[in-house]
Structures are given as structure tokens and as C-alpha cells.
Short mmCIF file of all heavy atoms in Angstrom, two decimals:
data_model
loop_
_atom_site.label_atom_id
_atom_site.label_comp_id
_atom_site.label_asym_id
_atom_site.label_seq_id
_atom_site.Cartn_x
_atom_site.Cartn_y
_atom_site.Cartn_z
N GLU A 1 0.22 -14.38 -19.67
CA GLU A 1 1.23 -15.45 -19.64
C GLU A 1 2.55 -14.78 -19.21
O GLU A 1 3.12 -13.98 -19.95
CB GLU A 1 1.38 -16.09 -20.96
CG GLU A 1 2.36 -17.31 -20.97
CD GLU A 1 2.56 -17.87 -22.38
OE1 GLU A 1 2.32 -17.17 -23.33
OE2 GLU A 1 2.94 -19.10 -22.40
N VAL A 2 3.00 -15.11 -18.02
CA VAL A 2 4.14 -14.50 -17.41
C VAL A 2 5.42 -15.03 -18.06
O VAL A 2 5.63 -16.18 -18.17
CB VAL A 2 4.21 -14.70 -15.87
CG1 VAL A 2 5.45 -13.99 -15.30
CG2 VAL A 2 2.91 -14.16 -15.26
N ARG A 3 6.28 -14.10 -18.55
CA ARG A 3 7.58 -14.43 -19.14
C ARG A 3 8.69 -14.13 -18.19
O ARG A 3 9.72 -14.84 -18.21
CB ARG A 3 7.74 -13.67 -20.44
CG ARG A 3 6.62 -13.85 -21.46
CD ARG A 3 6.49 -15.29 -21.89
NE ARG A 3 7.70 -15.81 -22.45
CZ ARG A 3 7.99 -15.70 -23.75
NH1 ARG A 3 7.16 -15.07 -24.57
NH2 ARG A 3 9.13 -16.20 -24.25
N ALA A 4 8.55 -13.15 -17.38
CA ALA A 4 9.59 -12.77 -16.42
C ALA A 4 8.98 -12.04 -15.24
O ALA A 4 7.98 -11.33 -15.40
CB ALA A 4 10.64 -11.95 -17.07
N CYS A 5 9.54 -12.14 -14.07
CA CYS A 5 9.11 -11.37 -12.93
C CYS A 5 10.34 -10.98 -12.07
O CYS A 5 11.08 -11.86 -11.66
CB CYS A 5 8.11 -12.16 -12.11
SG CYS A 5 7.34 -11.18 -10.76
N GLY A 6 10.44 -9.68 -11.87
CA GLY A 6 11.53 -9.18 -11.06
C GLY A 6 11.32 -9.57 -9.64
O GLY A 6 10.20 -9.72 -9.13
N ILE A 7 12.43 -9.60 -8.83
CA ILE A 7 12.36 -9.89 -7.42
C ILE A 7 12.83 -8.61 -6.70
O ILE A 7 13.84 -8.01 -7.05
CB ILE A 7 13.31 -11.08 -7.03
CG1 ILE A 7 12.79 -12.31 -7.67
CG2 ILE A 7 13.46 -11.21 -5.52
CD1 ILE A 7 13.58 -13.56 -7.38
N CYS A 8 12.06 -8.25 -5.71
CA CYS A 8 12.26 -6.91 -5.11
C CYS A 8 12.38 -7.11 -3.56
O CYS A 8 11.94 -8.09 -3.01
CB CYS A 8 11.00 -6.06 -5.37
SG CYS A 8 10.91 -4.47 -4.59
N ARG A 9 13.08 -6.14 -2.90
CA ARG A 9 13.15 -6.20 -1.49
C ARG A 9 11.78 -6.17 -0.79
O ARG A 9 11.68 -6.74 0.29
CB ARG A 9 14.07 -5.06 -0.99
CG ARG A 9 14.40 -5.22 0.47
CD ARG A 9 15.64 -4.34 0.84
NE ARG A 9 16.87 -4.85 0.25
CZ ARG A 9 17.61 -5.83 0.78
NH1 ARG A 9 17.29 -6.44 1.86
NH2 ARG A 9 18.72 -6.25 0.14
N THR A 10 10.79 -5.58 -1.42
CA THR A 10 9.48 -5.57 -0.84
C THR A 10 8.99 -7.09 -0.72
O THR A 10 8.25 -7.37 0.16
CB THR A 10 8.53 -4.79 -1.71
OG1 THR A 10 8.95 -3.46 -1.77
CG2 THR A 10 7.07 -4.83 -1.18
N ASP A 11 9.35 -7.95 -1.65
CA ASP A 11 8.98 -9.36 -1.57
C ASP A 11 9.55 -9.95 -0.25
O ASP A 11 8.88 -10.75 0.45
CB ASP A 11 9.50 -10.14 -2.74
CG ASP A 11 8.90 -9.67 -4.10
OD1 ASP A 11 7.69 -9.41 -4.13
OD2 ASP A 11 9.67 -9.57 -5.08
N LEU A 12 10.77 -9.54 0.07
CA LEU A 12 11.37 -9.99 1.40
C LEU A 12 10.57 -9.46 2.53
O LEU A 12 10.29 -10.22 3.53
CB LEU A 12 12.80 -9.58 1.47
CG LEU A 12 13.79 -10.29 0.57
CD1 LEU A 12 15.23 -9.64 0.79
CD2 LEU A 12 13.89 -11.77 0.88
N HIS A 13 10.13 -8.19 2.51
CA HIS A 13 9.35 -7.62 3.60
C HIS A 13 8.04 -8.37 3.72
O HIS A 13 7.58 -8.54 4.94
CB HIS A 13 9.05 -6.10 3.34
CG HIS A 13 10.29 -5.25 3.29
ND1 HIS A 13 11.32 -5.42 4.19
CD2 HIS A 13 10.66 -4.22 2.47
CE1 HIS A 13 12.28 -4.51 3.91
NE2 HIS A 13 11.88 -3.77 2.90
N VAL A 14 7.41 -8.78 2.68
CA VAL A 14 6.19 -9.57 2.75
C VAL A 14 6.48 -10.95 3.39
O VAL A 14 5.77 -11.39 4.26
CB VAL A 14 5.53 -9.72 1.32
CG1 VAL A 14 4.37 -10.64 1.41
CG2 VAL A 14 5.09 -8.37 0.85
N MET A 15 7.48 -11.59 2.84
CA MET A 15 7.82 -12.91 3.34
C MET A 15 8.21 -12.92 4.82
O MET A 15 7.95 -13.86 5.58
CB MET A 15 8.89 -13.58 2.50
CG MET A 15 8.49 -13.91 1.08
SD MET A 15 9.79 -14.77 0.20
CE MET A 15 9.97 -16.25 1.22
N ASP A 16 8.96 -11.91 5.26
CA ASP A 16 9.45 -11.81 6.61
C ASP A 16 8.45 -11.28 7.64
O ASP A 16 8.70 -11.09 8.79
CB ASP A 16 10.65 -10.86 6.65
CG ASP A 16 11.86 -11.45 5.92
OD1 ASP A 16 11.81 -12.67 5.59
OD2 ASP A 16 12.85 -10.71 5.65
N GLY A 17 7.19 -10.96 7.14
CA GLY A 17 6.13 -10.51 8.05
C GLY A 17 6.30 -9.04 8.46
O GLY A 17 5.59 -8.57 9.29
N GLU A 18 7.21 -8.28 7.75
CA GLU A 18 7.38 -6.90 8.07
C GLU A 18 6.28 -6.05 7.44
O GLU A 18 5.94 -4.93 7.93
CB GLU A 18 8.77 -6.43 7.56
CG GLU A 18 9.88 -7.05 8.31
CD GLU A 18 11.28 -6.86 7.71
OE1 GLU A 18 11.31 -6.70 6.45
OE2 GLU A 18 12.24 -6.84 8.39
N LEU A 19 5.63 -6.55 6.37
CA LEU A 19 4.44 -5.94 5.87
C LEU A 19 3.26 -6.88 6.26
O LEU A 19 3.17 -7.98 5.73
CB LEU A 19 4.45 -5.80 4.33
CG LEU A 19 5.43 -4.86 3.80
CD1 LEU A 19 5.38 -4.77 2.25
CD2 LEU A 19 5.25 -3.41 4.35
N PRO A 20 2.45 -6.51 7.22
CA PRO A 20 1.47 -7.41 7.85
C PRO A 20 0.34 -7.72 6.91
O PRO A 20 -0.01 -6.97 5.99
CB PRO A 20 1.11 -6.67 9.08
CG PRO A 20 1.15 -5.23 8.73
CD PRO A 20 2.33 -5.11 7.81
N HIS A 21 -0.34 -8.82 7.25
CA HIS A 21 -1.65 -9.23 6.63
C HIS A 21 -1.62 -9.38 5.13
O HIS A 21 -2.55 -8.89 4.43
CB HIS A 21 -2.75 -8.17 7.07
CG HIS A 21 -2.73 -7.83 8.52
ND1 HIS A 21 -2.79 -8.80 9.50
CD2 HIS A 21 -2.61 -6.67 9.10
CE1 HIS A 21 -2.76 -8.23 10.69
NE2 HIS A 21 -2.65 -6.91 10.48
N PRO A 22 -0.67 -10.10 4.54
CA PRO A 22 -0.77 -10.42 3.16
C PRO A 22 -1.94 -11.41 2.95
O PRO A 22 -2.37 -12.07 3.90
CB PRO A 22 0.60 -11.14 2.84
CG PRO A 22 1.00 -11.69 4.16
CD PRO A 22 0.51 -10.71 5.22
N ALA A 23 -2.43 -11.44 1.72
CA ALA A 23 -3.60 -12.28 1.36
C ALA A 23 -3.10 -13.72 1.22
O ALA A 23 -2.94 -14.21 0.09
CB ALA A 23 -4.26 -11.72 0.12
N LEU A 24 -2.88 -14.45 2.29
CA LEU A 24 -2.38 -15.80 2.23
C LEU A 24 -3.50 -16.80 1.96
O LEU A 24 -4.61 -16.64 2.33
CB LEU A 24 -1.75 -16.19 3.57
CG LEU A 24 -0.55 -15.29 4.00
CD1 LEU A 24 -0.08 -15.73 5.41
CD2 LEU A 24 0.61 -15.42 2.98
N PRO A 25 -3.13 -17.95 1.15
CA PRO A 25 -1.94 -18.24 0.53
C PRO A 25 -1.74 -17.20 -0.61
O PRO A 25 -2.68 -16.87 -1.28
CB PRO A 25 -2.11 -19.62 0.06
CG PRO A 25 -3.54 -19.80 -0.09
CD PRO A 25 -4.21 -18.97 0.94
N LEU A 26 -0.49 -16.84 -0.90
CA LEU A 26 -0.19 -15.71 -1.79
C LEU A 26 0.90 -16.12 -2.79
O LEU A 26 1.84 -16.75 -2.43
CB LEU A 26 0.31 -14.51 -0.96
CG LEU A 26 0.87 -13.32 -1.80
CD1 LEU A 26 -0.34 -12.62 -2.40
CD2 LEU A 26 1.58 -12.35 -0.85
N ILE A 27 0.72 -15.70 -4.01
CA ILE A 27 1.76 -15.80 -5.02
C ILE A 27 2.40 -14.43 -5.08
O ILE A 27 1.79 -13.46 -5.47
CB ILE A 27 1.20 -16.20 -6.42
CG1 ILE A 27 0.46 -17.52 -6.38
CG2 ILE A 27 2.34 -16.17 -7.46
CD1 ILE A 27 -0.24 -17.84 -7.64
N PRO A 28 3.70 -14.26 -4.64
CA PRO A 28 4.33 -13.01 -4.65
C PRO A 28 4.73 -12.55 -6.07
O PRO A 28 4.54 -13.27 -7.00
CB PRO A 28 5.57 -13.23 -3.77
CG PRO A 28 5.38 -14.52 -3.11
CD PRO A 28 4.52 -15.31 -4.02
N GLY A 29 5.36 -11.36 -6.12
CA GLY A 29 5.95 -10.87 -7.38
C GLY A 29 5.14 -9.75 -7.95
O GLY A 29 3.97 -9.89 -8.29
N HIS A 30 5.80 -8.60 -8.12
CA HIS A 30 5.09 -7.41 -8.62
C HIS A 30 5.90 -6.63 -9.70
O HIS A 30 5.68 -5.44 -9.84
CB HIS A 30 4.73 -6.50 -7.45
CG HIS A 30 5.89 -6.00 -6.68
ND1 HIS A 30 6.49 -6.75 -5.62
CD2 HIS A 30 6.68 -4.90 -6.75
CE1 HIS A 30 7.46 -6.06 -5.09
NE2 HIS A 30 7.67 -5.00 -5.80
N GLN A 31 6.74 -7.29 -10.38
CA GLN A 31 7.47 -6.72 -11.53
C GLN A 31 7.26 -7.71 -12.68
O GLN A 31 8.24 -8.31 -13.10
CB GLN A 31 8.95 -6.47 -11.23
CG GLN A 31 9.17 -5.54 -10.02
CD GLN A 31 10.64 -5.36 -9.74
OE1 GLN A 31 11.22 -4.42 -10.26
NE2 GLN A 31 11.23 -6.17 -8.95
N ILE A 32 6.04 -7.76 -13.22
CA ILE A 32 5.61 -8.81 -14.14
C ILE A 32 5.76 -8.32 -15.61
O ILE A 32 5.30 -7.25 -15.91
CB ILE A 32 4.14 -9.22 -13.86
CG1 ILE A 32 3.99 -9.63 -12.39
CG2 ILE A 32 3.75 -10.33 -14.82
CD1 ILE A 32 2.45 -9.90 -12.00
N VAL A 33 6.36 -9.17 -16.40
CA VAL A 33 6.34 -8.93 -17.84
C VAL A 33 5.81 -10.14 -18.54
O VAL A 33 6.22 -11.29 -18.18
CB VAL A 33 7.80 -8.65 -18.38
CG1 VAL A 33 7.78 -8.55 -19.93
CG2 VAL A 33 8.34 -7.35 -17.77
#
């Protein structure tokens, strides 16, 4: 059960297509508490 999730510049790289081939449709976020 997610209580907080940090936002990272890597999230921007995924959204901007600078990191190719994300598993779309995708729920971003990788600083999960």
C-alpha cells in the first residue's frame, strides 16, 4: 500500500522518450514507501 513516492529526473527521461521502450502502458515511480 503506497504511502509516498518520490519523483525523479529519471521519470522525466522515461516520459520524454529519452529512455526507450518502457513497458507501456506504465505506472511510473521508483522511490516507493
Side-chain angles (χ1 to χ4, degrees):
E1 181 182 26
V2 180
R3 304 300 300 274
C5 188
I7 294 179
C8 177
R9 189 161 292 276
T10 300
D11 298 318
L12 287 177
H13 296 319
V14 173
M15 290 186 62
D16 292 347
E18 293 168 332
L19 293 181
H21 314 304
L24 300 177
L26 173 72
I27 300 171
H30 59 274
Q31 300 180 94
I32 304 171
V33 174

